[in-house]
């Protein structure tokens, strides 16, 4: 029988897909799926490392008495073995880790690997949203703290890739692509003046009245968002660029 392969989606959502892109039953068991995410993402790059049992218990069952919490962890690990195979999870007296042979691909690990290899395009392709977005495990604040740290780490990789890609696209005068990447960057980091400047400059680059109007529409949308969400105005350099576009549009009119 052919071995099933799985893909764990952690960017923008949390889901486990089979080779046929069908969600498995594990997807409906959020705490066990979150446990899988911790085991799969722990470590740096592609290297998985063991996680202590005590850490996992505190992370997911810290509100339970010790014996019950340890039983809950054991039951969750048994469930993972039923999904991935008996050898998928290695347990020792004090630690737990996923086998390197487990037929599982993780988008967050792929992104970190692409970032380490300076594969900017692959980073942008893989990043579909914040790590474990809107995923909350009740009674598990330690898990939330861990997810926050991983979310910030992976988002930083994405933002760095956006900056590098925008620079390369602008140098190559690939303005439509530059504007698209800049818009993704600005959506995640709305306070970035660099992202805003890339978006406006790339949008107006063709020099047409239509392009200038589109650039000003992008500026107006940014200004409204900053006022609404942060009670701030755009960076002076962005305001100056928008004013110059508006002046050109007025002059050509």
């Amino acid at each position: 029988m052919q071995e099933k392969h799985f893909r764990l989606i952690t960017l923008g959502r949390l889901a486990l897909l089979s080779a046929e892109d069908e969600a498995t039953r594990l997807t409906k068991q959020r705490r066990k799926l979150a446990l899988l995410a911790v085991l799969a993402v722990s470590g740096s790059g592609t290297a998985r490392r063991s996680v202590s049992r005590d850490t996992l218990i505190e992370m997911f069952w810290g509100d339970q008495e010790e014996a019950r919490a340890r039983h809950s962890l054991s039951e969750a690990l048994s469930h993972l073995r039923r999904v991935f195979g008996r050898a998928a999870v290695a347990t020792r007296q004090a630690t737990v880790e996923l086998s390197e042979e487990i037929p599982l691909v993780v988008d967050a690990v792929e992104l970190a690997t692409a970032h380490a290899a300076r594969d900017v395009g692959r980073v942008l392709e893989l990043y579909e949203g914040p790590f474990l977005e809107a995923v909350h495990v009740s009674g598990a604040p330690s898990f939330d703290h861990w997810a926050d740290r991983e979310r910030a780490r992976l988002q930083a990789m994405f933002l760095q890739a956006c900056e590098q890609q925008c620079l390369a696209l602008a140098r190559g005068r690939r303005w439509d692509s530059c504007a698209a990447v800049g818009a993704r960057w600005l959506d995640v980091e709305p306070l970035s003046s660099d992202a805003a400047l890339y978006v406006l400059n790339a949008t107006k680059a063709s020099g047409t009245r239509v392009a200038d109007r589109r650039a000003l529409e992008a500026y107006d949308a940014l200004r409204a968002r900053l006022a609404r969400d942060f009670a701030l105005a755009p960076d002076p350099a962005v305001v100056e660029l928008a004013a110059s576009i508006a002046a050109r549009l007025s002059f050509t009119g």
Side-chain angles (χ1 to χ4, degrees):
M1 184 175 65
Q2 186 177 10
E3 182 182 45
K4 290 189 76 173
H5 287 76
F6 298 87
R7 181 172 183 82
L8 182 63
I9 306 298
T10 64
L11 298 170
R13 59 189 175 119
L14 178 59
L16 183 65
L17 307 180
S18 71
E20 295 79 24
D21 290 334
E22 296 175 353
T24 69
R25 287 176 297 176
L26 185 59
T27 295
K28 299 179 181 180
Q29 303 188 46
R30 187 52 57 95
R31 191 178 300 263
K32 292 172 184 175
L33 193 57
L35 171 63
L36 174 63
V38 172
L39 292 172
V41 174
S42 292
S44 58
T46 58
R48 291 175 184 149
R49 69 177 183 211
S50 61
V51 182
S52 77
R53 285 177 174 271
D54 288 344
T55 295
L56 295 174
I57 288 171
E58 169 60 27
M59 190 174 285
F60 291 102
W61 298 280
D63 59 343
Q64 297 182 10
E65 59 94 17
E66 183 176 358
R68 182 181 177 188
R70 291 190 179 278
H71 174 77
S72 296
L73 174 59
S74 295
E75 193 276 331
L77 296 177
S78 294
H79 190 98
L80 295 184
R81 290 189 181 99
R82 288 195 295 273
V83 173
F84 298 108
R86 293 181 60 185
V89 182
T91 55
R92 298 176 179 82
Q93 183 175 2
T95 62
V96 178
E97 65 181 283
L98 292 183
S99 166
E100 292 290 346
E101 304 304 318
I102 187 173
L104 176 68
V105 175
V106 186
D107 58 353
V109 175
E110 287 186 304
L111 188 147
T113 301
H115 178 265
R118 300 183 180 180
D119 188 345
V120 172
R122 183 61 173 156
V123 171
L124 296 178
E125 178 186 355
L126 286 164
Y127 192 85
E128 297 187 359
F131 180 71
L132 301 186
E133 184 175 26
V135 173
H136 174 72
V137 178
S138 62
S142 294
F143 168 77
D144 291 338
H145 295 328
W146 173 83
D148 287 343
R149 291 193 299 271
E150 290 298 317
R151 187 174 300 122
R153 181 177 71 93
L154 293 162
Q155 179 175 293
M157 294 178 187
F158 169 71
L159 294 176
Q160 183 179 354
C162 285
E163 183 174 8
Q164 293 170 347
Q165 189 79 324
C166 278
L167 177 59
L169 292 169
R171 285 175 173 172
R173 303 181 68 82
R174 296 172 57 188
W175 299 119
D176 288 345
S177 296
C178 183
V181 174
R184 290 184 66 191
W185 178 4
L186 196 59
D187 185 58
V188 174
E189 193 177 31
L191 297 180
S192 172
S193 59
D194 288 338
L197 291 171
Y198 272 120
V199 169
L200 297 188
N201 278 313
T203 303
K204 75 175 183 64
S206 67
T208 66
R209 289 178 60 80
V210 171
D212 284 344
R213 289 196 188 98
R214 287 175 54 210
L216 290 179
E217 288 171 359
Y219 171 74
D220 288 341
L222 173 63
R223 182 176 59 180
R225 182 182 180 186
L226 293 181
R228 180 187 69 244
D229 296 345
F230 304 98
L232 292 173
D235 184 89
V238 179
V239 175
E240 182 179 357
L241 176 58
S244 71
I245 297 171
R248 183 173 68 184
L249 191 60
S250 176
F251 178 77
T252 57

